Amino acid sequence: MADILLVYGTDTNNTESIAQELQTRFEQLGLGVELTNITDLEPETLLAHSYCVFGIPTWDFGGIQADWEAFEPVLRSLDFSQHQIAIFGLGDQFGYGDFFIDAVGWLHEILAEQGGNFYGYWPTKGYDFNASRALLPDGEHFMGLAIDEDQQFELTEQRLAAWVELLKTSMLAPLLEKVNA
Ligand SMILES: Cc1cc2nc3c(=O)[nH]c(=O)nc-3n(C[C@H](O)[C@H](O)[C@H](O)COP(=O)(O)O)c2cc1C
């Protein structure tokens, strides 16, 4: 059983590439990662992993990536109260500034209703957008990491590094304690 289940959905492979980079970074910490496209995900696999990182892009003016949307009934049928969850979202803040990473908000909403415990909330500083369903009530954080390969690809590496650092001191701390024991 891997330490972390890393699941992504994608239409044009950007989210897959970011998921692969995260996998490498987690593995460099000594953690085992199971990486899977949501099209291949079995509900049993999801239930068996307490530490989950989910990647989702937003499409078509606030729309949900099709494979994640198809998986919604499964998500709504499961209890996530024992799950530690971090979400990352891909979007385009200039092209779709009224819907920036909206799908992260959709996923967070469902998983919160199913009892999930969340980590990796991410500051909005450095992004330029009008509205997002993924905003926390404080208006200053997203419900997960925002990656913009269309407009700010040059910031992706540093954002991934900083997000992994944040997860190291929060969600992943119990796992890392065991690895380093
Ligand atoms: C037709 C189209 C619609 C899009 N709609 C949104 C949107 O509503 N919100 C957003 O943040 N990004 C939007 N995007 C940007 C994509 O989310 C972005 O390109 C992302 O990196 C795609 O990820 P993927 O390659 O994993 O599918 C859209 C892109 C296209 C081409």
Side-chain angles (χ1 to χ4, degrees), residues 10-15 58-62 92 96 99 101 150:
T10 186
D11 279 12
T12 57
N13 296 334
N14 288 339
T15 309
T58 302
W59 278 93
D60 297 326
F61 304 95
D92 174 348
Y96 302 90
F99 310 92
I101 66 161
D150 298 290

Side-chain angles (χ1 to χ4, degrees), residues 19 25 53 55 62 80 83 86 91 106 121 128-129 137 143 146 165 168:
R25 288 174 187 273
V53 177
F80 284 94
H83 282 65
W106 171 85
Y121 290 161
D128 187 3
F129 62 99
M143 294 161 180
E165 282 302 312
K168 270 169 71 175

Side-chain angles (χ1 to χ4, degrees), residues 135-157:
L135 270 187
L136 285 173
D138 71 3
E140 294 182 354
H141 291 84
F142 295 118
M143 294 161 180
L145 175 65
I147 293 291
D148 188 338
E149 289 292 83
D150 298 290
Q151 310 293 348
Q152 291 183 331
F153 64 90
E154 72 283 0
L155 297 178
T156 293
E157 285 304 311

